[in-house]
Amino acid sequence: MIELARRLRADARGFALRFVGWFACLALLWALLSPVYAAVLAGVAQATAPVLDPGTRYETEGPKVVAVRPFGVGADGRARSARQGLWSAAVTWNTTFLAAALLATPGWSWQRRWRAVAIGAGALAALHLTHLLVNAGFTRTRLPGADPGSGALILEWLNGFFDIVLATVAPIVLYAMLAGGRAGQARAAAPVERNAPCPCGSGLKYKRCCGA
């Protein structure tokens, strides 16, 4: 972590410019692919429905995942259903943020960068799915005439917890784990002479940068 902080401090301007560039490109890609991602989340959630949420049908509305649930019979004798939003790509930018930060980190080969992006994106995808399922349980307690039961408060707390974790904490923690760990490995594997250029890519001598 200390070496990572030194690298970023030594190349702060370059890191910031690369991050902005990558974020803009990845945000456009996310906007194009988010409906596909939403469909995958809905498909996995639907596979769990018979066990976790019987009677619920998961559908997509563009980049959104919604739950369609029956909740009684109307005055005309027809079954009534509710559409409840569970997940939206419009407010889910943590994957884009993490990927841009990893790709902008100095001193890595492209193979190492993309490997870290794949690991980080996989971890966030698992969190997205978990959050969606928690939100599905929470929104069910909000159906008209539903009996919330004793678990409603726990589901509400968990839903709020995931909102905070996914929006702020998870991308930062994953970046620190992936970037900090990789930096330490690279340093241990390849000792650098003090007067040689720093391998982090800052353009400074090693003794003035990561070797200070």
Side-chain angles (χ1 to χ4, degrees):
M1 287 301 298
I2 295 176
E3 183 177 352
L4 173 62
R6 287 175 176 171
R7 289 186 177 200
L8 295 179
R9 184 172 64 249
D11 190 29
R13 177 181 173 83
F15 173 78
L17 291 175
R18 290 192 299 272
F19 174 81
V20 171
W22 275 113
F23 188 86
C25 294
L26 293 172
L28 178 59
L29 184 63
W30 177 248
L32 294 174
L33 296 181
S34 55
V36 178
Y37 187 79
V40 172
L41 287 179
V44 176
Q46 188 63 57
T48 69
V51 176
L52 300 179
D53 203 356
T56 297
R57 187 172 71 255
Y58 293 90
E59 297 181 354
T60 57
E61 296 177 352
K64 298 179 181 180
V65 179
V66 299
V68 182
R69 295 186 170 113
F71 68 96
V73 180
D76 57 359
R78 295 182 179 180
R80 302 169 64 190
S81 62
R83 300 180 70 85
Q84 298 174 298
L86 301 178
W87 183 88
S88 174
V91 293
T92 308
W93 295 97
N94 42 35
T95 304
T96 305
F97 176 90
L98 176 62
L102 290 170
L103 291 172
T105 300
W108 287 7
S109 67
W110 284 109
Q111 181 181 7
R112 182 170 292 172
R113 293 172 199 239
W114 287 111
R115 186 186 303 121
V117 169
I119 295 172
L124 286 177
L127 288 173
H128 290 160
L129 178 60
T130 304
H131 186 202
L132 187 152
L133 295 176
V134 169
N135 197 18
F138 170 66
T139 53
R140 175 175 278 279
T141 66
R142 294 296 187 264
L143 284 172
D147 180 13
S150 59
L153 184 60
I154 296 176
L155 288 171
E156 184 175 6
W157 183 87
L158 284 173
N159 193 48
F161 172 78
F162 273 106
D163 281 337
I164 296 173
V165 167
L166 284 175
T168 56
V169 180
I172 296 173
V173 170
L174 284 171
Y175 177 77
M177 291 173 61
L178 293 168
R182 291 293 185 181
Q185 292 173 15
R187 183 176 182 180
V192 182
E193 295 292 334
R194 288 182 56 77
N195 288 319
C198 187
C200 76
S202 66
L204 301 174
K205 290 184 177 180
Y206 180 70
K207 67 182 181 182
R208 303 282 185 186
C209 186
C210 295

